[in-house]
Amino acid sequence: MAKDSEAGGFAAKDYHDPPPAPLIDVEEFTQWSFYRAIIAEFITTLLFLYVTVLTVIGYSSQSDVDNGGHICGGVGILGIAWAFGGMIFVLVYCTAGISGGHINPAVTFGLFLARKVSLVRAVLYMVAQCVGAICGCALVKSFQKGLYHRYGGGANSLAEGCSTGTGLAAEIIGTFVLVYTVFSATDPKRSARDSHIPVLAPLPIGFAVFMVHLATIPITGAGINPARSFGAAVVFNHSKPWNDHWIFWVGPFIGALIAAFYHQFILRAGAVKALGSFRSTHSV
């Protein structure tokens, strides 16, 4: 396997970083692949919310002892976490080659900060994700209307006894884990070194979602995805989820920002490379 080496004063690499995406790429509007990717983000987020929110409501119903359920009924928190992580694994695997399989405005925001996607694509992805989430939750409500309202519609809110600061910190850390995993799993340097990495990328991303849900469900219900929280809040439309809703945008976006900075400027030494380029350009 080729290694980094010095030849004639230049570092020869066994991989090439893709060029940064332009801030605004007008040519994207003329390409069918651009619209296909937006449609894919809409459909995948719809499916994601449909399966996961239906799982949450099903568990709440089966474990409700006051309405014929059993205290140990349903899939439990472990099963809910598997539903979220498993769906992310499946959907990222299916759509990675079409849209990148973001399914999450926080992931899109982190990739935008790292110049992996243009501003236009990032904004339209986020819109498609939010609309898809609303449609997915609306499907659940249409199938299980009585249970949907009785058990909170899968909407995110702070658990009783948890402060706003605790909830915000949990969302920041949880989203950091997810977005950091996305960067690591899709790193072009690792892909060049290990040919199996691109094929396996959806697996660690799904596992990251699974693990974060195990830790965060008792605190906030585990948002780490503003579209997921927004879709559930819109369709459920009760005051408690809306009062806490800002946490599920601010927390994930801060977590994504930190993950993008950590991976691009510390692990990949982006700041050092930029400084070296600046010095070489201005050297006498």
Side-chain angles (χ1 to χ4, degrees):
M1 182 172 61
K3 300 288 185 181
D4 290 358
S5 61
E6 293 293 329
F10 295 94
K13 298 180 179 179
D14 58 353
Y15 76 100
H16 296 283
D17 281 324
L23 189 62
I24 298 176
D25 188 357
V26 179
E27 288 187 7
E28 286 186 316
F29 292 105
T30 66
Q31 300 168 349
W32 163 241
S33 60
F34 176 64
Y35 299 100
R36 181 183 64 180
I38 294 170
I39 294 169
E41 286 295 311
F42 166 77
I43 295 296
T44 51
T45 313
L46 183 155
L47 295 174
F48 177 61
L49 267 292
Y50 170 74
V51 171
T52 55
V53 171
L54 204 54
T55 302
V56 170
I57 292 173
Y59 164 65
S60 299
S61 173
Q62 294 163 350
S63 61
D64 185 359
V65 294
D66 295 330
N67 287 279
H70 191 276
I71 190 66
C72 295
V75 296
I77 290 180
L78 184 65
I80 292 172
W82 269 121
F84 279 89
M87 278 303 290
I88 287 295
F89 167 66
V90 170
L91 295 172
V92 170
Y93 179 83
C94 291
T95 59
I98 300 171
S99 67
H102 297 190
I103 324 172
N104 184 336
V107 171
T108 301
F109 180 64
L111 293 174
F112 165 70
L113 293 177
R115 300 291 301 277
K116 306 291 186 183
V117 295
S118 68
L119 176 62
V120 172
R121 184 177 291 261
V123 170
L124 291 180
Y125 270 22
M126 291 181 193
V127 172
Q129 291 156 1
C130 289
V131 175
I134 292 171
C135 293
C137 291
L139 274 179
V140 175
K141 183 177 179 180
S142 67
F143 292 163
Q144 298 278 8
K145 192 164 187 177
L147 297 179
Y148 186 88
H149 286 289
R150 183 184 303 167
Y151 298 113
N156 290 121
S157 60
L158 285 174
E160 284 203 29
C162 290
S163 68
T164 300
T166 300
L168 184 62
E171 289 295 310
I172 292 172
I173 295 170
T175 310
F176 172 85
V177 171
L178 170 59
V179 178
Y180 172 44
T181 304
V182 169
F183 276 113
S184 298
T186 59
D187 191 326
K189 184 175 182 179
R190 297 186 67 192
S191 299
R193 186 181 60 206
D194 302 313
S195 60
H196 64 279
I197 291 295
V199 178
L200 295 179
L203 187 59
I205 296 171
F207 261 106
V209 172
F210 167 67
M211 297 304 294
V212 168
H213 273 73
L214 286 181
T216 316
I217 283 175
I219 303 172
T220 63
I224 68 169
N225 182 336
R228 176 259 187 273
S229 302
F230 180 71
V234 167
V235 178
F236 185 56
N237 198 28
H238 284 217
S239 60
K240 173 62 173 169
W242 280 124
N243 291 340
D244 298 335
H245 188 64
W246 66 272
I247 293 171
F248 301 101
W249 283 90
V250 175
F253 273 46
I254 293 176
L257 185 153
I258 297 171
F261 178 82
Y262 176 63
H263 185 269
Q264 295 296 108
F265 289 94
I266 297 178
L267 298 187
R268 293 295 304 277
V272 175
K273 292 175 184 176
L275 181 60
S277 175
F278 176 81
R279 284 176 173 171
S280 63
T281 302
H282 291 78
S283 60
V284 179

